[in-house]
Amino acid sequence: MKRYVIGLLLLIIGSSIATAQAFTRRSSQEQHDALKKYYEIIDFRLGGRYDLANPSKWENGGEGGKILESVGGGKLRTAYIAVGTPRRNAAGEITNAVVINSYYSGDSTDMYEQWVKGAALSGGVPIIGPGRPIDTDRYYVVMVDPLGTWGASKPSDGLGTKFPQYSYFDMVQANYRLLRDHLRVAHAALATGVSMGGTQTYVWGVMHPEYVSAIMLIGGTTQSDAEDPVGNWTFQLMTAAIQSDPVWQATKGNYYDLPKEKHPLAGVAFGWSVLGLTGYDFAFRTSQSFAAVQPEVFYWDPPQPFFERILEQTFDVAEGVWIGTPVNLNRERESGEFARRMAEIRHGHLEVSGEKDGWIAPADLKAMEAAMPHCRLVIVPGVGHSMNLEIPPLYAGYFGAWFGGG
């Protein structure tokens, strides 16, 4: 079951499309690419300060942030897939939305493949659909891409290292604008997500407490964003791995004028290897043979065609995962700002986490539960970071029992 943890983590770092051509594809699951839609926001500021007591000041992103157009980019772009039955008020606004935030390096097509289609990776058990825990006969479900990856604006659209630093607050505010302004969602019954999507879920609770009624997450946390050394070290190691590549060294990260085959492929693979090897707990790793571990080990000169195929698949993940997210979100972790806001999350919510989650310590989760007024924490024995992939029927049961009657 532990193998599914990394499966998630690595899938996890009426519209218009920006004119800039991305070097990486815009959907993780290309068979669902036609379902993805886009929305652009003019003059959205990235990397600025969010004074949460004054929402009017960050309607268009944080104060003091940088606008993509000002550094040679197009308008900020976000992406989504929506399914289900919208219900509207007298003004024509949707009142029954469910927002699903993607995990690290995933996107809306991943969520569609796993939670709507019920892919083999998730045990063939759909979570979203008619009569399912997220019932599309009752809810309008919007699966969103996170900023910096896949269909959303990202460094590989051409800006590279000029792409502004961004934050969880930027991710959520951009998708709030998508829901409110483009889809005309007046209210969301639920915000949910897995891993980094779970952390975004908490940000929804802090930034837009009146907009969402409830939150539920798996393997997401606020506490470890400030204090967890594993998460911090991993992102720092990933960043160092990428920057160790000779191409990165020679170009200082601005390599976008080079053909794709001359990009820092080895450094990206090195970063992928770091993420893979740190995502398991030590007890599980030592139970495996080296043959099982070897495909995740980095080699400057790959000894096998199999590894070269992994390298190709690795780089096809949006480069924003490697350039933007490890650097930017690690800075946010180190600031501790979000962890200090835990007590502000007053929604009734459920946090489901695995006892054997190598990324989030149970002690951090318990500290988080104690700090939040209405948090119900369930730590499931024998499960790792990705309960929805490791034991989908059990996850569906938790979700259905908590939200199904809502």
Side-chain angles (χ1 to χ4, degrees), residues 3-325:
R3 288 183 177 89
Y4 294 123
V5 177
I6 293 302
L8 173 66
L9 286 171
L10 298 183
L11 288 174
I12 328 182
I13 173 117
S15 56
S16 60
I17 303 177
T19 56
Q21 178 62 45
F23 281 95
T24 49
R25 66 184 196 263
R26 287 184 167 165
S27 291
S28 172
Q29 302 291 326
E30 291 191 288
Q31 69 272 27
H32 303 311
D33 184 68
L35 299 175
K36 183 177 282 191
K37 298 182 183 301
Y38 302 86
Y39 179 62
E40 292 180 337
I41 307 171
I42 299 171
D43 293 338
F44 190 94
R45 301 182 299 262
L46 295 175
R49 177 178 175 271
Y50 284 81
D51 177 1
L52 297 186
N54 295 286
S56 63
K57 292 186 177 182
W58 39 267
E59 171 74 9
N60 226 36
E63 293 180 272
K66 288 186 179 180
I67 297 170
L68 285 179
E69 294 96 317
S70 72
V71 291
K75 295 184 283 287
L76 184 84
R77 183 184 66 251
T78 188
Y80 69 98
I81 294 175
V83 298
T85 307
R87 294 181 183 171
R88 301 180 185 271
N89 59 21
E93 300 166 319
I94 295 171
T95 59
N96 66 330
V98 169
V99 183
I100 300 179
N101 304 282
S102 184
Y103 42 78
Y104 181 62
S105 82
D107 73 337
S108 53
T109 63
D110 276 316
M111 304 314 298
Y112 187 90
E113 176 70 9
Q114 294 176 30
W115 284 19
V116 179
K117 298 290 290 185
L121 180 62
S122 55
V125 180
I127 301 297
I128 301 168
R132 294 293 177 179
I134 303 179
D135 190 344
T136 50
D137 290 335
R138 298 180 60 192
Y139 297 105
Y140 180 66
V141 184
V142 186
M143 295 157 275
V144 295
D145 285 19
L147 179 64
T149 62
W150 300 111
S153 292
K154 56 185 183 286
S156 60
D157 286 337
L159 289 177
T161 56
K162 292 193 297 182
F163 195 91
Q165 178 180 343
Y166 55 90
S167 68
Y168 285 119
F169 295 103
D170 292 328
M171 288 182 180
V172 169
Q173 183 63 8
N175 283 322
Y176 169 75
R177 291 286 302 277
L178 158 70
L179 266 69
R180 189 198 67 184
D181 299 346
H182 179 57
L183 296 177
R184 299 191 68 203
V185 171
H187 179 75
L190 176 76
T192 188
V194 176
S195 190
M196 190 184 81
T199 300
Q200 291 172 71
T201 297
Y202 275 135
V203 178
W204 277 98
V206 168
M207 294 184 72
H208 298 289
E210 306 301 324
Y211 192 76
V212 295
S213 292
I215 56 181
M216 177 185 173
L217 56 155
I218 311 168
T221 179
T222 60
Q223 178 69 22
S224 67
D225 283 348
E227 304 295 339
D228 175 29
V230 176
N232 283 330
W233 291 355
T234 299
F235 281 143
Q236 289 166 358
L237 286 168
M238 286 175 64
T239 301
I242 298 161
Q243 294 176 351
S244 70
D245 189 289
V247 175
W248 182 285
Q249 293 283 317
T251 63
K252 295 182 170 57
N254 288 307
Y255 52 83
Y256 288 95
D257 58 338
L258 300 176
K260 184 174 177 179
E261 64 271 13
K262 294 185 179 180
H263 288 193
L265 301 176
V268 171
F270 196 175
W272 187 277
S273 176
V274 168
L275 183 63
L277 292 172
T278 59
Y280 296 97
D281 63 40
F282 184 72
F284 176 76
R285 266 303 182 212
T286 54
S287 71
Q288 293 184 294
S289 67
F290 184 69
V293 176
Q294 187 176 16
E296 295 161 14
V297 177
F298 172 72
Y299 299 88
W300 283 109
D301 297 309
Q304 51 195 4
F306 173 73
F307 186 81
E308 293 176 354
R309 290 198 299 272
I310 290 179
L311 175 61
E312 181 180 357
Q313 294 168 0
T314 297
F315 196 78
D316 225 1
V317 174
E319 287 179 292
V321 172
W322 310 109
I323 299 170
T325 307

Side-chain angles (χ1 to χ4, degrees), residues 256-399:
Y256 288 95
D257 58 338
L258 300 176
K260 184 174 177 179
E261 64 271 13
K262 294 185 179 180
H263 288 193
L265 301 176
V268 171
F270 196 175
W272 187 277
S273 176
V274 168
L275 183 63
L277 292 172
T278 59
Y280 296 97
D281 63 40
F282 184 72
F284 176 76
R285 266 303 182 212
T286 54
S287 71
Q288 293 184 294
S289 67
F290 184 69
V293 176
Q294 187 176 16
E296 295 161 14
V297 177
F298 172 72
Y299 299 88
W300 283 109
D301 297 309
Q304 51 195 4
F306 173 73
F307 186 81
E308 293 176 354
R309 290 198 299 272
I310 290 179
L311 175 61
E312 181 180 357
Q313 294 168 0
T314 297
F315 196 78
D316 225 1
V317 174
E319 287 179 292
V321 172
W322 310 109
I323 299 170
T325 307
V327 176
N328 297 333
L329 299 188
N330 205 48
R331 290 173 182 161
E332 193 166 349
R333 286 170 178 264
E334 292 168 349
S335 75
E337 179 182 0
F338 190 46
R340 291 191 293 270
R341 296 188 176 275
M342 286 188 293
E344 298 175 23
I345 301 174
R346 310 196 70 83
H347 294 76
H349 67 276
L350 176 65
E351 159 90 30
V352 180
S353 189
E355 177 191 35
K356 295 186 177 298
D357 189 334
W359 285 76
I360 303 175
D364 288 339
L365 292 169
K366 290 174 181 176
M368 184 180 70
E369 179 188 29
M372 295 191 214
H374 305 292
C375 175
R376 180 191 171 199
L377 173 64
V378 177
I379 298 179
V380 183
V383 177
H385 188 64
S386 313
M387 182 179 179
N388 63 312
L389 300 182
E390 296 175 60
I391 313 178
L394 184 58
Y395 164 69
Y398 276 117
F399 200 109

